[in-house]
């Protein structure tokens, strides 16, 4: 990882810049490098060695080579093999279908999800999972209003979508409370009795 440290251990249960992540990637020199699916496990350790622009990641316990990657020249890239790209793409496609279904499968929902993918390609999985999480906590009506809100304003963010859903859910609760109050017959509504201030003054000897 550094010239003076050709081999460095990465520990999954030690949060930090060099941790192996639950999505089976490691962060190295500002880029993410994919490991084979299923590599992640609590306390799992791997060793990373870079030689002549090639990054080799091995299982520290067995010494088995897990994957080799060409070192990325830029920053913020996800580096993976062709097979890993296929697995990743398939996973995203399945997640997309699931989110689209909970949003009602409408053309607007599909357009919103596509824009999330276009605007945040590196974090599309996180974006879809946020939308899916919000869908599990709010009604279809609130989700539809949040979707319309984001589309009308050109907002392509799962976080903003979730915030909008929370707002419309709260608004619906307020409307429901008012609706219940209006159904109470006038004869059953309690009105506080009011008295002349002089009556209270008399009780305390203040009236002549």
């Amino acid at each position: 990882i550094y010239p003076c440290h050709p081999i460095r251990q990465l520990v999954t249960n030690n949060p930090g810049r060099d941790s192996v992540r639950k999505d089976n990637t490691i962060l190295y020199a500002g880029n993410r490098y994919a490991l084979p699916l299923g590599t992640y496990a609590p306390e799992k350790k791997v060793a990373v060695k870079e030689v002549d622009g090639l990054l080799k990641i091995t299982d520290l316990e067995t010494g088995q080579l897990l994957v080799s990657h060409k070192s990325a020249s830029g920053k913020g890239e996800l580096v993976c093999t062709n097979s890993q790209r296929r697995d990743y793409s398939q996973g995203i496609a399945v997640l997309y279908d699931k989110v689209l279904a909970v949003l009602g499968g409408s053309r607007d929902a599909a357009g919103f999800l596509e824009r999330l993918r276009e605007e945040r390609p590196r974090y599309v999985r996180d974006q879809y999972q946020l939308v899916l999480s919000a869908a599990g906590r709010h009604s279809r009506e609130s989700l539809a209003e949040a979707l319309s809100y984001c589309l009308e304003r050109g907002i392509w963010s799962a976080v903003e979508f979730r915030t909008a859903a929370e707002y419309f859910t709260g608004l619906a609760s307020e409307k429901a409370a008012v609706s219940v109050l209006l159904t109470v017959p006038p004869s059953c509504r309690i009105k506080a009795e009011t008295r002349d201030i002089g009556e209270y003054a008399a009780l305390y000897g203040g009236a002549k």
Side-chain angles (χ1 to χ4, degrees):
I1 287 182
Y2 298 100
C4 57
H5 298 289
I7 298 179
R8 186 169 180 170
Q9 295 179 2
L10 303 177
V11 186
T12 59
N13 65 342
N14 181 23
R17 185 172 178 272
D18 290 333
S19 296
V20 173
R21 303 181 176 190
K22 291 184 178 181
D23 63 352
N24 296 297
T25 65
I26 60 170
L27 184 63
Y28 172 78
N31 296 294
R32 289 185 300 148
Y33 291 84
L35 303 175
L37 294 177
T39 298
Y40 174 81
E43 301 183 3
K44 176 74 174 181
K45 299 179 181 180
V46 297
V48 178
K49 183 178 182 180
E50 184 176 13
V51 179
D52 297 328
L54 187 65
L55 199 68
K56 295 185 177 182
I57 304 173
T58 59
D59 188 305
L60 192 62
E61 295 181 357
T62 65
Q64 177 187 2
L65 178 65
L66 298 174
V67 68
S68 295
H69 291 297
K70 288 184 178 180
S71 299
S73 57
K75 297 290 184 182
E77 298 180 23
L78 172 61
V79 182
C80 53
T81 64
N82 290 334
S83 61
Q84 289 172 326
R85 286 192 182 93
R86 286 193 294 272
D87 290 337
Y88 181 80
S89 298
Q90 290 171 0
I92 293 298
V94 171
L95 184 58
Y96 170 90
D97 290 340
K98 190 173 183 179
V99 179
L100 181 61
V102 299
L103 292 182
S106 67
R107 181 177 298 179
D108 284 346
F112 179 68
L113 296 179
E114 287 297 336
R115 287 304 299 269
L116 286 183
R117 185 197 293 264
E118 293 172 4
E119 297 292 328
R120 292 172 167 80
R122 289 167 50 199
Y123 307 105
V124 63
R125 182 186 295 276
D126 295 335
Q127 292 288 303
Y128 286 175
Q129 287 175 336
L130 272 176
V131 175
L132 189 62
S133 176
R137 295 196 300 268
H138 301 286
S139 67
R140 289 243 178 184
E141 291 75 14
S142 295
L143 295 174
E145 289 181 289
L147 181 61
S148 296
Y149 176 88
C150 291
L151 290 173
E152 290 170 1
R153 291 162 178 77
I155 297 173
W156 317 117
S157 165
V159 173
E160 295 297 332
F161 173 85
R162 180 181 61 185
T163 301
E166 291 171 351
Y167 169 79
F168 288 114
T169 294
L171 195 62
S173 297
E174 293 177 5
K175 290 180 180 179
V178 172
S179 178
V180 170
L181 180 61
L182 293 177
T183 61
V184 177
S187 59
C188 297
R189 298 176 190 172
I190 300 175
K191 183 178 180 180
E193 182 181 357
T194 59
R195 295 187 179 186
D196 185 88
I197 190 65
E199 297 183 34
Y200 293 100
L203 291 174
Y204 293 95
K208 302 296 183 180

